[in-house]
Amino acid sequence: MAPRVQLEKAAWRWVETVKPEEIRQEHIELAYRINLPACKRGACRRNCKGNPNCLVGIGEQAWLGEIDESAFHSIDDPNSERREKNTFVGLTNLGATCYVNTFLQVWFHNLELRRSLYQLHTSYTVKAYPLSISDYEPQSICEHLQYLFALLQNSNRKYIDPSGLVKALGLDTGQQQDAQEFSKLFLSLLEDTLSKQKNPNLRNVIQQQFCGQFSYVTVCNQCGRSSALPSRFYELELNIQGHKSLTEISHMLEEKLDGENRYFCETCQSKQNATRRIKLHSLPPTLNLQLMRFVFDRQTGHKKKLNSFISFPEQLDMGPFLEEKQDEKCVYELSAVLIHRGISAYSGHYIAHVKDARTGDWYKFNDEEIEKMEGKKLQLGIEEDIAETVKSQTKKPKCSKGYHCSRNAYMLVYKVQQEESSGPIRTNVEVPAFLQRLVDQDNHKFEEWCSEMTDMRKQSVDKGKAKHEEVKELYKLLPARDGEPYEFIPLDWLKKWLDDSTATKEIDSSRFLCSHDKLHPDKVGDSRKVSMQAAQLLYERYGGGPRLNESSLCRECVSQRCRVLRLKNQLSEDYKEISNLVKRTFSGAGFWVGKASLRSWRQLALEQLEEDEHETAHNNSQTNGQGPHTNNSKGSNNPYNWGLSILETERKLVSPEVWTKFREYFPKAPEFTQDQEACQQCLVSEEKDNEAVSKMMALDQKNQLLNLFHEKNRPALTKWPQGTDVLYVVPLFFVDEWRKFIRRPTKSSPVSNVSNTLLLCPHGGFMFTYDSVALLWPSEWDVISRLFIVDQPISIHCLKRTTPSGSTTQYTTQPDLCWECRESFLFQQQRDLREYTQATIYIRKVIEDKRMIKEAAPELSVSSSEAEEEKEEHPKLDGEKDPDFSQIMHAFSVAPFDQNLFIDGKSLTDDSATLGSLGIIPESIICLKADEPIADYAAMDDVYQVRMPEEGFKGEHVLLQT
């Protein structure tokens, strides 16, 4: 069968010649691929995804032939967990507890130790528990060991869990401990616990089984002085470095004390080289020989493992190594070999080779696995290393008969040889009754588990057989014949039905429905056409729905897909045509289209068609305009009643021909004619947004520059402020305009620039006086430079110098002060002050007591901008007028001949002088002193003119004759 993509193309190839209104039933069946040929078994290796008639490769292969019962379940045979006859029980490795398991197996096979532990009084025997011991839990370490040994002896399980004992010992199951150190500590703990027993045989069982006597004898190499230190041992440590055979025990018990390890000799009264030997005085029945494979490396500061071979005999005569011949037996037989697999002292795996005391057979104990060693497998101490990294290893030396060689054995256990005349060995160890009841209780649980697992296996087999018959019956009925009624079943449901590992749920076809509650054309490839008879049986057994038959083929979806596919085929041609039409000029009315949509209309159209093709919700507003306004008015069913964008730069006028093409691809797009007004809601919203932004901007700037706005805490050059060495300069005009914006942000334009270049001369130097600029603190300058665009920073620095006459303060500016331009500027400024029009001169009358009374001269306590704002904010009261300075002489009632005029204490008597030559500049105050009261009011016609004429005067004003 052809691939899925080819099948989909073939199903819709007819749309090239058929319009949506011309669709017939045969076209609908082609779209749903009703008449595709069904695949036959063997012809298809896997299921054809695009063919609804393909019922091959959906999981039927596992059911149509003969099936083994094991295929119906995933439950292992519980009998595989059962202990075989005449075998031993293993121990579960809890993570890194293999070293514990090896010692437990060795101690379990020590019959004398096991028999003694069984005699131990436990909390059960002391408290006289009833016969029902289901609530009994071991408390002490000895009780755990008792119970563990009883399970190892009589359990029905193949292996048991030692977690109770491991937890009681407080061992970390994830971290491997030093095996030799564990052996010593455990025997010491066991000895301490048993020493508290009342039975004397139990109190000394550890000493009787494992304890021997020896002496440390140290001989000084210098003077020959010998010192002995008697001691006892439970494990005899043998130094194997440089030795090859256990027959060299005498040398293994010897140690050289030299270098940093020298011996302090009391005779020599200094550290001397010495030899330390171990002299054996008595040996225990169980002789534990620790082969010191794990030694301390002084160069690295870590332990390392000695991987050299060492040979050891099956029979060991210890008589030659005893200092004093005694009647005790000195011939020992090998009973256990403890092995460490691995080349590192900090990792590896522990295994035990143990001899059965009853039969003399050897067994390998590897956690849960136990293997009998016989024939060629009887190679004691031989185990392959883990993660072998050393390529060239020492070859195994040849061993004599009765000897074994090992490079991994780290502990050898020898048992004293029994004489034949002494009678049979006591190999039978009875488990106490209360311990046997605990074992029986555990065996009962195990048998119940086995029975439960067996029942589960049987149920799975019975269920599988029934399913087998069902599948063979129904699969033959699945294919629908030509002309017969049919239904559609989800393909994934059929696969799960044929997959016995998952529970079969009811049939769910709801996700295959289109918006018209029929079968979606795109989902036909994910469903399979089956006979109505097979569908009826499946729905009766499993339920579900909705059921989809031949009447579920959707004509509306096929028509829509036909329209979409035809438009997609036409899109390339329309794109070229519209691109050419947009470039042409046209006359007459047109339609507005968003420029962004116009640039990407082809991609938008393709996305629109693809979404229409898959019946997903699509918002056609992307093709024109910026988006909808919220419209909560009732009765408005048009979701596209949006206004025309107010920004003409974001839209373009197109011809009706272009718009007609667009409507074919975007039928729901809003239509904007050429004469349509812009959206009033956007206009109002934009104005409100601008006012809100201005208010927020003004409030934010005011809060950041609060002192500058209120003119508080301002720096001055009359006395340089403390705490700073620099001040910054901005034009006073900038500050005035900024304050206007802060006061009335909705009526004033925001200030964006600080034009400091206006304060600079053509040479780039600073030339203005300080009374025409505003001084800023450094913190205020940081805010100013962040909020506004500053073209040129100007700063004033304070330089204090100490002179013989005292300290002086000097100011410098950056840029530097331009003296040449500054003097020219000041000269021009003074000249401009003497040539003025429309200026105001103030007159003050001086009374006899020399008090100055200000009449008709307003106080200017605020700047002009502030005064202007106050006039705007505080309207004048009724009847309040500006002073009329042209009538000021009438107000003073002083005739010209009684007037005496002064300015800065200088009398104005020169009748030929001008105002400018007398130094009278705008805003100056002239003092008037009258000689005597005025009697002739006719003289008032010759009063001074304090308000200058509007035109014709340039400072050449002659004083009137008095």
Side-chain angles (χ1 to χ4, degrees):
M1 184 61 65
R4 181 172 185 171
V5 176
Q6 296 182 15
L7 292 176
E8 291 179 354
K9 289 182 177 180
W12 296 94
R13 190 171 292 127
W14 54 269
V15 302
E16 299 176 0
T17 57
V18 179
K19 297 180 179 179
E21 59 271 15
E22 300 173 351
I23 293 177
R24 298 189 300 272
Q25 182 63 27
E26 61 182 280
H27 301 126
I28 297 176
E29 292 183 354
L30 282 173
Y32 280 92
R33 313 164 208 172
I34 298 299
N35 298 317
L36 282 179
C39 299
K40 297 181 180 180
R41 293 192 64 203
C44 287
R45 288 179 292 181
R46 54 190 175 190
N47 189 256
C48 301
K49 294 183 179 180
N51 185 2
N53 295 317
C54 181
L55 296 171
V56 177
I58 58 176
E60 78 284 354
Q61 300 92 336
W63 301 95
L64 299 182
E66 295 298 326
I67 304 177
D68 186 4
E69 290 186 358
S70 61
F72 295 137
H73 62 80
S74 58
I75 303 174
D76 294 333
D77 185 1
N79 289 318
S80 63
E81 302 290 311
R82 188 181 299 278
R83 176 184 183 180
E84 296 180 4
K85 188 177 181 181
N86 297 326
T87 59
F88 292 103
V89 177
L91 291 168
T92 303
N93 190 336
L94 304 178
T97 57
C98 54
Y99 69 99
V100 178
N101 293 345
T102 57
F103 281 108
L104 290 176
Q105 294 287 8
V106 171
W107 293 329
F108 170 77
H109 283 81
N110 189 314
L111 303 183
E112 290 77 6
L113 177 62
R114 194 197 319 171
R115 188 179 295 108
S116 299
L117 282 175
Y118 284 163
Q119 299 175 16
L120 181 68
H121 288 286
T122 64
S123 56
Y124 175 81
T125 56
V126 171
K127 296 181 180 179
Y129 274 72
L131 293 178
S132 176
I133 58 173
S134 58
D135 297 332
Y136 171 74
E137 289 290 340
Q139 302 297 321
S140 65
I141 293 176
C142 287
E143 291 181 15
H144 279 286
L145 195 59
Q146 267 188 335
Y147 181 43
L148 190 67
F149 279 3
L151 289 174
L152 287 174
Q153 184 167 338
N154 291 336
S155 177
N156 292 344
R157 300 178 187 268
K158 184 178 181 180
Y159 50 85
I160 60 174
D161 186 354
S163 56
L165 175 62
V166 172
K167 185 176 180 181
L169 291 171
L171 298 176
D172 184 357
T173 58
Q175 184 176 2
Q176 194 173 87
Q177 306 292 335
D178 188 320
Q180 296 173 344
E181 191 67 23
F182 168 75
S183 173
K184 295 177 183 178
L185 293 176
F186 186 81
L187 288 179
S188 177
L189 180 63
L190 201 60
E191 180 184 16
D192 181 64
T193 303
L194 294 175
S195 64
K196 300 174 183 178
Q197 292 289 315
K198 296 180 179 179
N199 189 338
N201 295 328
L202 292 178
R203 285 201 299 265
N204 300 320
V205 65
I206 299 299
Q207 293 92 327
Q208 292 172 357
Q209 281 296 315
F210 303 102
C211 186
Q213 301 291 331
F214 69 92
S215 296
Y216 281 112
V217 179
T218 306
V219 180
C220 177
N221 293 352
Q222 181 67 26
C223 65
R225 182 182 183 276
S226 176
S227 62
L229 178 64
S231 183
R232 62 180 184 175
F233 67 91
Y234 295 89
E235 297 170 352
L236 194 59
E237 297 179 352
L238 302 180
N239 181 15
I240 64 172
Q241 191 167 13
H243 302 287
K244 297 181 179 180
S245 175
L246 202 63
T247 56
E248 306 174 23
I249 286 183
S250 59
H251 299 289
M252 295 180 181
L253 297 177
E254 184 176 289
E255 180 183 6
K256 300 294 183 180
L257 303 179
D258 51 13
E260 296 181 357
N261 199 28
R262 288 185 300 171
Y263 162 73
F264 183 82
C265 178
E266 294 184 358
T267 302
C268 300
Q269 287 296 306
S270 62
K271 286 188 175 183
Q272 299 292 339
N273 293 339
T275 302
R276 176 174 292 169
R277 297 182 180 88
I278 293 178
K279 292 185 177 182
L280 301 176
H281 302 297
S282 64
L283 299 174
T286 301
L287 180 61
N288 295 326
L289 300 181
Q290 285 278 9
L291 307 182
M292 303 301 290
R293 287 199 178 273
F294 306 110
V295 296
F296 182 76
D297 189 348
R298 295 182 180 276
Q299 293 182 351
T300 62
H302 298 284
K303 279 188 176 182
K304 68 176 182 180
K305 180 183 177 183
L306 300 177
N307 292 291
S308 56
F309 279 97
I310 190 78
S311 66
F312 50 91
E314 293 184 10
Q315 283 192 352
L316 178 63
D317 185 5
M318 292 296 293
F321 309 113
L322 289 173
E323 286 297 311
E324 300 176 1
K325 298 296 181 180
Q326 300 179 0
D327 295 335
E328 62 182 277
K329 302 167 184 177
C330 298
V331 179
Y332 287 81
E333 291 184 349
L334 185 65
S335 64
V337 181
L338 277 70
I339 300 165
H340 173 266
R341 291 173 55 192
I343 60 174
S344 171
Y346 296 97
S347 61
H349 184 60
Y350 290 89
I351 296 175
H353 294 174
V354 183
K355 182 180 180 181
D356 183 6
R358 298 172 301 169
T359 62
D361 296 329
W362 283 87
Y363 291 86
K364 179 171 75 173
F365 291 86
N366 185 8
D367 294 330
E368 298 91 346
E369 301 295 328
I370 299 174
E371 179 185 358
K372 187 175 181 180
M373 303 175 68
E374 55 186 354
K376 294 183 179 180
K377 293 183 179 180
L378 186 56
Q379 298 183 22
L380 302 183
I382 301 300
E383 293 291 340
E384 293 181 359
D385 281 335
I386 298 176
E388 185 71 61
T389 59
V390 182
K391 295 183 179 180
S392 58
Q393 294 290 346
T394 306
K395 294 184 179 180
K396 178 185 174 183
K398 294 183 179 180
C399 297
S400 304
K401 187 176 181 180
Y403 279 80
H404 299 276
C405 293
S406 174
R407 58 181 302 173
N408 289 320
Y410 72 93
M411 183 173 177
L412 305 174
V413 180
Y414 283 89
K415 296 282 293 183
V416 68
Q417 189 179 54
Q418 299 291 334
E419 296 181 1
E420 296 181 2
S421 58
S422 60
I425 303 175
R426 297 173 58 196
T427 58
N428 187 23
V429 180
E430 295 290 337
V431 177
F434 82 95
L435 286 176
Q436 186 58 47
R437 285 198 294 272
L438 289 174
V439 174
D440 293 341
Q441 179 178 274
D442 182 74
N443 287 338
H444 179 69
K445 292 180 181 179
F446 174 71
E447 296 300 334
E448 287 182 342
W449 175 82
C450 290
S451 177
E452 181 180 352
M453 291 298 103
T454 302
D455 292 342
M456 291 178 62
R457 280 167 58 93
K458 185 176 183 304
Q459 292 175 8
S460 297
V461 170
D462 294 343
K463 182 180 177 182
K465 289 181 177 179
K467 183 69 171 288
H468 187 203
E469 296 299 324
E470 174 187 316
V471 171
K472 287 196 297 184
E473 173 191 356
L474 287 177
Y475 187 77
K476 294 178 181 179
L477 300 176
L478 282 181
R481 298 179 181 177
D482 295 340
E484 293 184 355
Y486 58 84
E487 291 191 28
F488 291 95
I489 299 293
L491 175 60
D492 58 352
W493 186 91
L494 288 173
K495 289 182 177 181
K496 291 180 180 179
W497 172 60
L498 295 171
D499 183 5
D500 190 50
S501 63
T502 58
T504 305
K505 299 180 180 179
E506 64 178 17
I507 303 171
D508 182 13
S509 302
S510 59
R511 55 194 176 89
F512 290 170
L513 299 180
C514 66
S515 58
H516 313 103
D517 290 332
K518 294 185 177 182
L519 178 62
H520 196 293
D522 285 346
K523 299 297 183 180
V524 68
D526 296 326
S527 59
R528 289 296 176 265
K529 189 182 76 171
V530 302
S531 66
M532 182 171 288
Q533 181 184 1
Q536 182 65 27
L537 291 174
L538 290 174
Y539 276 107
E540 286 178 357
R541 295 184 184 183
Y542 299 102
R547 299 180 68 168
L548 304 174
N549 51 30
E550 63 267 21
S551 64
S552 301
L553 308 183
C554 185
R555 175 180 288 271
E556 290 82 356
C557 287
V558 173
S559 298
Q560 173 68 4
R561 178 66 60 80
C562 177
R563 183 189 74 85
V564 169
L565 292 177
R566 289 176 64 86
L567 284 175
K568 290 177 71 174
N569 294 335
Q570 187 182 342
L571 181 59
S572 297
E573 297 180 3
D574 287 345
Y575 177 75
K576 295 179 182 178
E577 182 178 357
I578 289 176
S579 298
N580 294 328
L581 291 174
V582 168
K583 296 177 182 178
R584 300 175 186 174
T585 58
F586 66 94
S587 59
F591 295 87
W592 289 109
V593 177
K595 288 185 177 180
S597 301
L598 192 60
R599 286 192 299 268
S600 57
W601 79 267
R602 183 181 184 181
Q603 181 64 27
L604 292 173
L606 186 60
E607 294 175 0
Q608 175 77 52
L609 294 174
E610 289 177 352
E611 291 183 2
D612 289 346
E613 190 176 1
H614 295 87
E615 287 191 345
T616 55
H618 181 71
N619 188 356
N620 287 291
S621 64
Q622 296 180 57
T623 61
N624 213 10
Q626 299 301 316
H629 295 302
T630 303
N631 191 345
N632 295 326
S633 58
K634 296 181 180 179
S636 177
N637 297 323
N638 181 13
Y640 303 99
N641 56 345
W642 310 324
L644 182 63
S645 172
I646 62 176
L647 301 176
E648 290 193 17
T649 57
E650 296 183 359
R651 46 190 165 98
K652 181 178 178 60
L653 202 63
V654 299
S655 65
E657 188 177 1
V658 173
W659 180 246
T660 302
K661 288 287 184 182
F662 280 155
R663 295 287 287 185
E664 293 181 7
Y665 294 96
F666 311 107
K668 297 181 181 180
E671 183 175 282
F672 302 123
T673 59
Q674 182 177 356
D675 56 353
Q676 185 167 345
E677 295 183 357
C679 178
Q680 296 299 317
Q681 185 175 351
C682 286
L683 291 172
V684 175
S685 176
E686 184 182 36
E687 183 177 356
K688 290 181 179 180
D689 291 344
N690 291 338
E691 290 182 358
V693 170
S694 296
K695 289 181 180 179
M696 291 178 60
M697 182 187 300
L699 180 61
D700 179 61
Q701 293 181 8
K702 178 182 177 182
N703 291 335
Q704 296 191 61
L705 298 169
L706 196 59
N707 286 343
L708 181 62
F709 174 74
H710 291 295
E711 205 169 356
K712 294 181 179 180
N713 189 26
R714 307 312 309 147
L717 296 180
T718 55
K719 184 179 180 181
W720 187 270
Q722 296 181 354
T724 182
D725 293 333
V726 60
L727 296 174
Y728 291 88
V729 174
V730 293
L732 194 59
F733 172 78
F734 160 76
V735 178
D736 294 338
E737 292 300 314
W738 174 73
R739 287 191 178 122
K740 286 182 182 180
F741 169 69
I742 298 300
R743 289 192 179 94
R744 309 194 73 175
T746 59
K747 295 185 178 181
S748 302
S749 299
V751 182
S752 60
N753 299 313
V754 180
S755 300
N756 271 356
T757 52
L758 298 176
L759 303 178
L760 303 178
C761 69
H763 310 104
F766 181 64
M767 69 175 197
F768 272 67
T769 57
Y770 293 131
D771 55 359
S772 61
V773 297
L775 299 179
L776 303 178
W777 298 101
S779 59
E780 293 174 334
W781 174 255
D782 292 340
V783 177
I784 290 288
S785 58
R786 188 173 66 251
L787 296 179
F788 308 100
I789 300 174
V790 183
D791 53 10
Q792 173 68 49
I794 300 178
S795 59
I796 302 175
H797 296 262
C798 175
L799 300 177
K800 293 185 178 181
R801 297 180 180 179
T802 303
T803 61
S805 60
S807 60
T808 61
T809 302
Q810 180 180 355
Y811 302 135
T812 62
T813 63
Q814 291 182 354
D816 295 335
L817 197 64
C818 184
W819 291 103
E820 179 182 355
C821 294
R822 178 179 174 83
E823 290 178 358
S824 176
F825 169 74
L826 293 177
F827 176 79
Q828 182 64 35
Q829 189 179 44
Q830 292 298 324
R831 181 177 179 180
D832 292 342
L833 288 175
R834 289 170 173 78
E835 296 180 3
Y836 48 82
T837 59
Q838 300 292 328
T840 301
I841 304 297
Y842 297 99
I843 306 297
R844 285 183 180 176
K845 186 177 181 181
V846 180
I847 312 302
E848 289 297 332
D849 58 1
K850 297 185 179 180
R851 288 183 298 111
M852 301 281 290
I853 300 178
K854 179 181 176 182
E855 299 181 11
E859 290 287 335
L860 299 179
S861 59
V862 294
S863 66
S864 61
S865 60
E866 289 177 328
E868 181 182 351
E869 292 296 334
E870 290 178 358
K871 289 177 185 177
E872 293 177 357
E873 295 176 4
H874 305 288
K876 294 180 180 179
L877 300 176
D878 294 340
E880 182 181 352
K881 298 180 180 179
D882 288 330
D884 188 359
F885 290 101
S886 64
Q887 303 297 327
I888 195 168
M889 293 298 100
H890 293 279
F892 286 142
S893 300
V894 178
F897 46 78
D898 288 330
Q899 296 175 4
N900 293 306
L901 301 177
F902 301 88
I903 185 168
D904 296 333
K906 181 181 179 182
S907 177
L908 303 179
T909 59
D910 188 356
D911 295 340
S912 62
T914 63
L915 293 176
S917 63
L918 294 175
I920 300 174
I921 62 177
E923 306 296 326
S924 296
I925 300 175
I926 299 176
C927 296
L928 169 64
K929 183 177 181 182
D931 287 341
E932 60 184 35
I934 300 174
D936 186 3
Y937 290 98
M940 293 299 295
D941 294 335
D942 299 326
V943 295
Y944 275 118
Q945 292 184 13
V946 295
R947 172 75 65 176
M948 297 299 109
E950 294 184 358
E951 297 178 359
F953 293 96
K954 297 245 182 218
E956 301 296 330
H957 306 301
V958 180
L959 291 173
L960 297 178
Q961 295 290 331
T962 58

